Amino acid sequence: MASSTAGTTGWLRGRVKAVTSGDCLVIMALTSSKPGPPPEKTITLSSLMAPKLARRGGIDEPFAWESREFLRKLCIGKEVTFKTDYTVSSIGRDFGSVFLGDKNVAMLVVSQGWAKVREQPSQPKQGQQKIEASPFIAELLQLEEQAKTQGLGRWSKVPGAAEASIRNLPPSAIGDPSKLDAMSLLNANKGKPMEAIVEQVRDGSTIRVYLLPEFQFVQVFVAGIQAPSVGKRPFTTEIVPEPEIPSDKTNGDISAEPRAPLTSAQRIAASAVSPNETVPDPFALEAKYFTEIRVLNRDVRIVLEGVDKFSNLIGSVYYPDGDSAKDLALELVEHGYAKYVEWSANMMEEEPKRRLKTAELQAKKTKLRLWTNYMPPATNSKPIHNQNFTGKVVEVVSGDCVIVADDSIPYGSPLAERRVNLSSIRCPKMGNPRREEKPAPYAREAKEFLRTRLIGRQVSVQMEYSRKISPADGAAVANGPTDSRIMDFGSVFLAAPSKAEGDDAATPASSASQQAGVNVAELVVARGFGSVIRHRDFEERSSYYDALLSAESRATAGKKGMHSSKEPPVMHITDLTTASAKKARDFLPFLHRSRRIPAVVEYVLSGHRFKLLVPKETCSIAFSFSGVRCPGRDEPYSDEAIALMRRRIMQRDVEIEVETVDRTGTFLGSLWESRTNMAIALVEAGLAKYTSFAGSDRIPDAHLLEQAEKNAKKQKLKIWEKYVEGEEVPNGVPTDTKQKEVLKVVVTEVLEGGKFYVQTVADQNISSIQQQLASLNLQEAPLIGAFNPKKGDIVLAQFSADNSWNRAMIANAPRGPVESSKDKFEVFYIDYGNQEVVPYSSLRPLDTSVSSTPGLAQLCSLAYLKVPTLTQDHGEEAAEFLSEYTLSKEFSAMIEERDFSGGKVKGQGTGPVLLVTLVAANEEISINAAMLQEGLARLEKKKKFDTKDRKAALDNLEKFQEEAQVNRRGKWQYGHYDSEEEEIVPPVKKGAGKR
């Protein structure tokens, strides 16, 4: 036993675990040096005799129950100090003194009249052993006299008090449980909390209790869970009625009964034990102890849930914890001491059932106790960590998918917009008009519900998991790219809900989501526009899954949306964007009827061209600004113009005025959002030009467009940055120069001193392809004959350096069909630029959805330089220098020129080569200049018709070449070249056998 005063005094400290009668306590240690439950000791209060509770077939002694209850309520769960005064070995009992704080428990019992003090004979009878006594015997006798005088407890002087104190016990409480009608008891009390006192804990999830006030003694299996079995052990105590012992027998006398008396409840528990011993399951004893210290001999509330086929009662058990009550089943599962079981959980309400399931999942994730060796099943979802962000919603793709512009990424960047699929819910599909797929019932309503609440609103996003989606999966992205396989899921929260969301806002049960705002997924589900996905056991899910299930239950009960018995609404929309130009012209009179028509921007096709929905005419149209043109695709500022329009009008309610329709079926006119002419906003930002043409006088606000363009030119904004007054510049770009593009890149492979491959940093395709490849299951090699890759095919190849799988092009293959798994194939890794020979066993076929994305490796060359090849002098030094200073490092690559001499199709070392200037962060000079400085390259010759930019660049680099010449570095070690003629090296013939 744990002790703070043990030693020479013999006093120990412990906690009262159980009270078996009015004079007997079970005390357990406060701490233990051994694993498992702490040791415990049964102490009978010295020199006291409390009235005995009923045994099998018997009745209580007067005041026996009140005596036990007084001591139970006084001491159960309390910390006490105790000492063994004496032991009677013949009956195996320890008698002692117990202190609750500074109060002697025996004195408190006697003072209230709940036990009598054993009398001490003046002279022991001949042959009788001396009787031990409490060290406080004198005080106890004095308190007993006072209690008798006052008529307290068992000394009551009220007529009939003794008879009234004897409980009228039903058969189940006196050893005959067979007469208990479990079904009738359930029918009379189902769902009602019943007061009870726990008399025994059989195992962590099975208890035996007195149901008050009738004192039915029943066994209750805790609903929804199963704790480990504690096993069985031989029971040596005789299960027979013991002879009645006169009440004046002395407590502790050797001539008294041979063992402690068993109550009826204890006898029933003992009778159920088999004589065959079995070993306890792992954590069984710990689970039993966990339950004992919380409910044994405690007042609990039991809600009966059902009865099994053996007439065993199934119920939920709640025990007090301060001012609240705790669910024993939930506590056991949360601490890893019990498992969730479906058969009894199905008897419970949905809410507690969900809590148990969630608690078990969390215990499995943390591998807690019972789940120490748990191996989760394979899943196609992976958690996403530390990717929370805030931003504005720019597009609603469907009822369960939105696009949010991240506040932390610069305005106008394509990377700013992030697609977020709402976690753990599924809405009806929007379909695809180009494949003649119509929207599913309530798909439009779900999308419109989100559009009216989210577009342009500030939200916070908590990214939660990514998932590999197969084409047959119902959660595929609506209107998304066909090659999308990895989707990111998260919870989206509206920080400041509007009044319109009052009925759909989170309920008090979902307080977790209220901390971040209103959970958008919960809004959708509560309106009946989506269903909650029933995840597999270990599949990643929303952090607010319980709240979503609760919202779905409310929508189902209210028969909202998808759960309604009414026919779903039908809306027929004529899509003129896919129809003929003639059909579009036929609609022009209808669009001319009203000067301004309400519309919704469905998609931004370019900075000045959009797809609009006109609800009044139930049609979708292609619409373009009259007299305003933005830079075309791949031209400078094209993406920025699109980004501006997406931020300002994407899926917004707008007004349009249609003037005419062009030969392609695109309607021309003006568009206003919140009374702002968006064409003027585009021109003012320097992202579009106003083009005067015949009839432009019919354009509303034409004079404002002219003034906006003048202001943009004056401030040299965007496309006008190089504008010179009086000089007409197409799209604001001078004829003798180009707007240079700068990319953030990482060098992935160096071919030689001047040529290398790069990947663009933060390219969305990179992470998408990496996630898709990481999610593939590539355990078994393909069967020979079933897969015969040919030259030029895109496949998966296992890179020998790290055994990773990557996309690769077959550069060279054996002739004829594959004969052995060791057949060699030369492959080119299209995402990195390196090349190697691998065996057939390291190849796998690649899904076309992944192979269709062009290779991510871009071939580059250092601009303005002539670098020796590997076969020339200093060629290997140049390659080593470039590798050492660039491989796997990030650079800014300014594109000086594009070389199309190799063709326009990207492949193995072909396609346009980018001539770039490489500059690393925090470096004063470029890699181009460093190569010249080390004498590992030379400048290209100046030409008569060079542009100003090229001449300036060559002049700037010339000083670094001169430095190498002066210091005779690299190729200048033998002096300065007087001739400017280029070194011409004949091409190596293939027949020569050299690379």
Side-chain angles (χ1 to χ4, degrees):
M1 298 292 289
S3 172
S4 59
T5 58
T8 57
T9 63
W11 287 97
L12 302 170
R13 293 185 67 80
R15 191 178 302 279
V16 177
K17 172 184 171 184
V19 176
T20 58
S21 66
D23 59 4
C24 188
L25 307 94
V26 179
I27 305 174
M28 62 183 179
L30 296 178
T31 58
S32 176
S33 59
K34 297 181 180 179
E40 57 189 46
K41 192 176 187 68
T42 301
I43 295 291
T44 303
L45 298 176
S46 299
S47 298
L48 295 193
M49 293 188 68
K52 295 179 177 59
L53 293 166
R55 291 168 294 189
R56 172 170 292 194
I59 61 173
D60 291 342
E61 291 185 355
F63 302 103
W65 179 254
E66 289 85 349
S67 174
R68 202 290 291 264
E69 284 297 274
F70 174 80
L71 188 59
R72 181 181 71 86
K73 293 178 179 178
L74 178 69
C75 297
I76 194 69
K78 303 287 182 63
E79 192 175 316
V80 296
T81 305
F82 68 98
K83 178 182 180 182
T84 302
D85 297 330
Y86 55 91
T87 300
V88 179
S89 56
S90 60
I91 59 173
R93 278 203 192 182
D94 293 323
F95 295 83
S97 300
V98 180
F99 277 79
L100 184 62
D102 59 351
K103 305 288 187 180
N104 187 323
V105 172
M107 291 184 182
L108 294 174
V109 172
V110 173
S111 67
Q112 295 301 315
W114 296 122
K116 71 177 182 178
V117 182
R118 183 193 63 199
E119 296 180 2
Q120 188 94 9
S122 56
Q123 286 293 335
K125 297 179 182 179
Q126 186 175 2
Q128 190 178 33
Q129 184 177 325
K130 181 184 176 182
I131 298 174
E132 298 286 352
S134 167
F136 306 98
I137 186 66
E139 292 91 332
L140 292 173
L141 289 169
Q142 183 179 353
L143 290 170
E144 184 182 43
E145 288 301 321
Q146 293 177 5
K148 287 180 179 180
T149 303
Q150 297 174 24
L152 300 178
R154 66 180 298 171
W155 314 114
S156 175
K157 299 174 182 179
V158 177
E163 292 78 8
S165 69
I166 299 173
R167 294 177 296 166
N168 181 19
L169 296 174
S172 64
I174 54 176
D176 192 3
S178 62
K179 292 187 177 180
L180 175 68
D181 189 348
M183 186 56 70
S184 297
L185 183 64
L186 171 68
N187 292 335
N189 299 280
K190 183 170 176 58
K192 301 176 184 177
M194 304 177 68
E195 300 297 327
I197 298 175
V198 179
E199 291 297 311
Q200 187 208 0
V201 174
R202 196 191 77 176
D203 57 46
S205 59
T206 310
I207 59 175
R208 293 187 169 97
V209 303
Y210 275 129
L211 295 178
L212 303 179
E214 288 84 7
F215 289 101
Q216 291 278 15
F217 185 71
V218 298
Q219 178 170 273
V220 177
F221 292 96
V222 181
I225 67 167
Q226 177 64 59
S229 171
V230 295
K232 298 176 182 178
R233 57 183 178 179
F235 192 77
T236 56
T237 305
E238 297 179 17
I239 312 302
V240 294
E242 297 178 3
E244 289 294 331
I245 300 172
S247 60
D248 58 351
K249 284 284 184 180
T250 56
N251 185 357
D253 196 331
I254 294 177
S255 63
E257 55 193 3
R259 62 183 61 83
L262 296 177
T263 66
S264 175
Q266 291 168 330
R267 285 179 171 279
I268 293 174
S271 65
V273 180
S274 169
N276 299 321
E277 181 175 9
T278 57
V279 178
D281 291 339
F283 297 102
L285 298 179
E286 290 87 341
K288 180 182 178 184
Y289 170 72
F290 183 90
T291 300
E292 284 178 334
I293 61 173
R294 284 162 175 77
V295 302
L296 182 58
N297 282 170
R298 312 292 180 103
D299 295 303
V300 298
R301 283 188 298 112
I302 293 179
V303 179
L304 296 181
E305 309 284 3
V307 174
D308 67 9
K309 60 183 179 181
F310 301 109
S311 295
N312 292 310
L313 290 168
I314 314 295
S316 299
V317 180
Y318 300 91
Y319 64 92
D321 182 60
D323 295 332
S324 60
K326 285 194 173 181
D327 184 350
L328 178 62
L330 187 61
E331 290 290 302
L332 283 164
V333 174
E334 282 181 341
H335 288 82
Y337 285 123
K339 296 181 179 180
Y340 172 84
V341 289
E342 193 76 33
W343 69 268
S344 63
N346 287 335
M347 302 177 183
M348 305 166 62
E349 296 290 336
E350 283 300 317
E351 191 63 29
K353 181 179 174 180
R354 284 200 298 267
R355 286 198 295 264
L356 287 179
K357 190 67 176 172
T358 303
E360 184 187 61
L361 181 62
Q362 185 58 36
K364 286 178 177 178
K365 286 182 178 180
T366 55
K367 295 195 172 184
L368 194 61
R369 297 187 176 91
L370 285 177
W371 310 107
T372 301
N373 300 317
Y374 177 76
M375 295 299 294
T379 176
N380 62 351
S381 59
K382 296 180 181 179
I384 297 177
H385 302 291
N386 303 320
Q387 285 196 28
N388 299 346
F389 65 97
T390 60
K392 284 187 178 180
V393 178
V394 295
E395 182 179 353
V396 174
V397 180
S398 64
D400 54 14
C401 181
V402 297
I403 295 177
V404 183
D406 192 338
D407 289 339
S408 64
I409 299 178
Y411 171 79
S413 170
L415 301 179
E417 295 186 2
R418 299 182 60 175
R419 180 182 290 260
V420 182
N421 298 281
L422 300 181
S423 298
S424 296
I425 74 167
R426 181 180 290 121
C427 291
K429 294 181 182 179
M430 284 299 299
N432 191 327
R434 297 186 183 279
R435 294 200 294 264
E436 297 184 354
E437 294 177 0
K438 294 182 178 180
Y442 292 102
R444 289 187 183 276
E445 288 74 17
K447 180 178 178 180
E448 182 65 10
F449 176 77
L450 280 194
R451 185 190 73 82
T452 56
R453 284 158 176 77
L454 294 187
I455 285 297
R457 297 280 297 276
Q458 188 75 13
V459 296
S460 58
V461 182
Q462 297 179 12
M463 298 306 298
E464 290 168 320
Y465 62 93
S466 63
R467 186 180 174 201
K468 180 185 176 183
I469 304 297
S470 63
D473 197 311
V477 181
N479 300 335
T482 57
D483 62 345
S484 177
R485 287 296 181 270
I486 302 296
M487 295 166 57
D488 293 336
F489 292 80
S491 292
V492 178
F493 297 91
L494 264 174
S498 64
K499 293 181 180 179
E501 284 126 26
D503 295 337
D504 307 312
T507 61
S510 56
S511 57
S513 64
Q514 285 183 335
Q515 295 174 5
V518 177
N519 189 341
V520 171
E522 196 173 344
L523 283 178
V524 174
V525 173
R527 272 296 182 96
F529 293 140
S531 59
V532 180
I533 298 171
R534 265 51 182 181
H535 292 284
R536 289 179 296 172
D537 185 36
F538 218 75
E539 202 170 45
E540 295 296 331
R541 63 193 66 197
S542 168
S543 301
Y544 310 93
Y545 192 68
D546 286 347
L548 295 177
L549 289 171
S550 179
E552 186 179 45
S553 297
R554 297 197 306 273
T556 304
K559 295 185 177 181
K560 294 184 178 181
M562 298 163 49
H563 312 291
S564 172
S565 57
K566 299 178 181 178
E567 286 294 321
V570 179
M571 185 178 184
H572 297 287
I573 301 294
T574 304
D575 191 348
L576 297 178
T577 61
T578 58
S580 64
K582 181 181 181 303
K583 189 170 184 179
R585 287 194 292 272
D586 291 342
F587 265 77
L588 183 61
F590 301 104
L591 299 178
H592 263 156
R593 284 186 303 192
S594 302
R595 185 177 177 187
R596 290 195 181 185
I597 309 171
V600 177
V601 180
E602 287 192 317
Y603 201 76
V604 175
L605 302 170
S606 71
H608 63 269
R609 192 165 181 268
F610 320 100
K611 181 181 179 182
L612 305 183
L613 170 67
V614 185
K616 184 178 179 181
E617 305 298 336
T618 63
C619 64
S620 292
I621 64 172
F623 179 87
S624 183
F625 291 140
S626 291
V628 172
R629 289 295 176 266
C630 295
R633 292 280 182 178
D634 299 325
E635 291 183 5
Y637 301 112
S638 170
D639 290 340
E640 198 164 329
I642 293 173
L644 175 65
M645 289 295 99
R646 284 180 64 84
R647 291 283 184 103
R648 295 290 296 273
I649 65 171
M650 181 66 183
Q651 292 188 330
R652 306 290 182 95
D653 292 309
V654 298
E655 288 184 315
I656 60 171
E657 186 173 317
V658 175
E659 298 163 17
T660 185
V661 60
D662 67 13
R663 60 185 178 85
T664 65
T666 299
F667 293 88
L668 305 178
S670 301
L671 182 149
W672 291 266
E673 194 276 328
S674 298
R675 299 184 180 180
T676 300
N677 188 322
M678 295 311 301
I680 296 175
L682 200 61
V683 173
E684 277 182 336
L687 295 172
K689 293 178 62 178
Y690 171 58
T691 305
S692 300
F693 62 95
S696 61
D697 55 326
R698 296 195 300 268
I699 300 176
D701 304 328
H703 63 290
L704 296 177
L705 286 170
E706 290 180 358
Q707 185 60 45
E709 185 178 75
K710 288 179 181 178
N711 293 338
K713 287 179 178 179
K714 186 175 181 180
Q715 298 176 52
K716 295 189 175 183
L717 298 177
K718 308 299 180 183
I719 64 174
W720 307 110
E721 62 182 351
K722 296 186 182 298
Y723 173 74
V724 178
E725 187 70 30
E727 181 179 332
E728 182 61 28
V729 182
N731 289 334
V733 180
T735 54
D736 63 337
T737 185
K738 292 182 180 180
Q739 179 68 34
K740 292 182 181 179
E741 185 179 359
V742 179
L743 302 175
K744 291 289 185 182
V745 299
V746 171
V747 178
T748 58
E749 179 73 3
V750 173
L751 301 180
E752 57 186 35
K755 288 190 176 182
F756 50 93
Y757 280 94
V758 300
Q759 274 186 358
T760 304
V761 175
D763 186 344
Q764 289 179 326
N765 285 328
I766 296 175
S767 59
S768 174
I769 290 174
Q770 287 176 344
Q771 287 178 339
Q772 292 179 54
L773 295 179
S775 63
L776 296 175
N777 184 8
L778 303 171
Q779 300 298 325
E780 298 180 358
L783 294 175
I784 295 175
F787 172 50
N788 290 294
K790 302 179 183 62
K791 185 175 180 179
D793 286 353
I794 304 298
V795 299
L796 275 179
Q798 191 172 28
F799 185 44
S800 59
D802 60 4
N803 293 327
S804 63
W805 291 92
N806 302 278
R807 299 192 305 163
M809 175 188 287
I810 301 296
N812 201 0
R815 292 184 178 180
V818 177
E819 299 177 352
S820 166
S821 62
K822 296 182 180 180
D823 284 1
K824 301 296 183 181
F825 289 76
E826 188 174 2
V827 298
F828 170 76
Y829 293 102
I830 62 175
D831 295 327
Y832 297 94
N834 52 330
Q835 194 162 327
E836 69 171 350
V837 176
V838 299
Y840 176 78
S841 59
S842 294
L843 299 179
R844 299 287 189 278
L846 184 61
D847 191 286
T848 54
S849 63
V850 182
S851 62
S852 62
T853 304
L856 304 176
Q858 171 65 57
L859 182 59
C860 297
S861 178
L862 294 176
Y864 310 121
L865 303 186
K866 287 288 185 181
V867 184
T869 63
L870 293 174
T871 59
Q872 295 176 329
D873 291 341
H874 303 289
E876 291 187 357
E877 293 177 45
E880 289 175 3
F881 179 89
L882 191 63
S883 298
E884 180 181 354
Y885 286 94
T886 64
L887 269 183
S888 302
K889 297 176 183 177
E890 187 173 322
F891 292 84
S892 294
M894 180 180 290
I895 302 174
E896 309 289 354
E897 192 176 349
R898 285 179 169 85
D899 180 7
F900 290 91
S901 60
K904 294 186 179 181
V905 180
K906 292 188 65 175
Q908 182 198 353
T910 64
V913 180
L914 302 184
L915 306 182
V916 300
T917 299
L918 274 188
V919 183
N922 303 321
E923 292 291 336
E924 295 181 358
I925 64 172
S926 64
I927 291 295
N928 308 50
M931 293 283 286
L932 290 171
Q933 201 175 41
E934 294 298 320
L936 299 175
R938 63 177 297 172
L939 277 176
E940 293 177 343
K941 291 191 301 181
K942 293 181 181 178
K943 298 176 183 177
K944 182 177 181 181
F945 298 104
D946 280 345
T947 63
K948 293 180 181 179
D949 283 355
R950 178 177 170 81
K951 289 177 181 178
L954 290 171
D955 290 341
N956 182 51
L957 291 171
E958 192 169 12
K959 60 183 179 183
F960 298 101
Q961 179 172 281
E962 289 173 354
E963 180 182 343
Q965 291 171 343
V966 171
N967 294 299
R968 297 199 173 189
R969 294 176 187 156
K971 66 186 302 174
W972 309 108
Q973 61 181 321
Y974 300 116
H976 178 67
Y977 281 99
D978 291 329
S979 171
E980 288 195 14
E981 291 193 12
E982 301 295 327
E983 299 142 327
I984 301 174
V985 179
V988 179
K989 297 181 181 179
K990 291 186 178 179
K994 296 180 182 179
R995 281 187 69 179

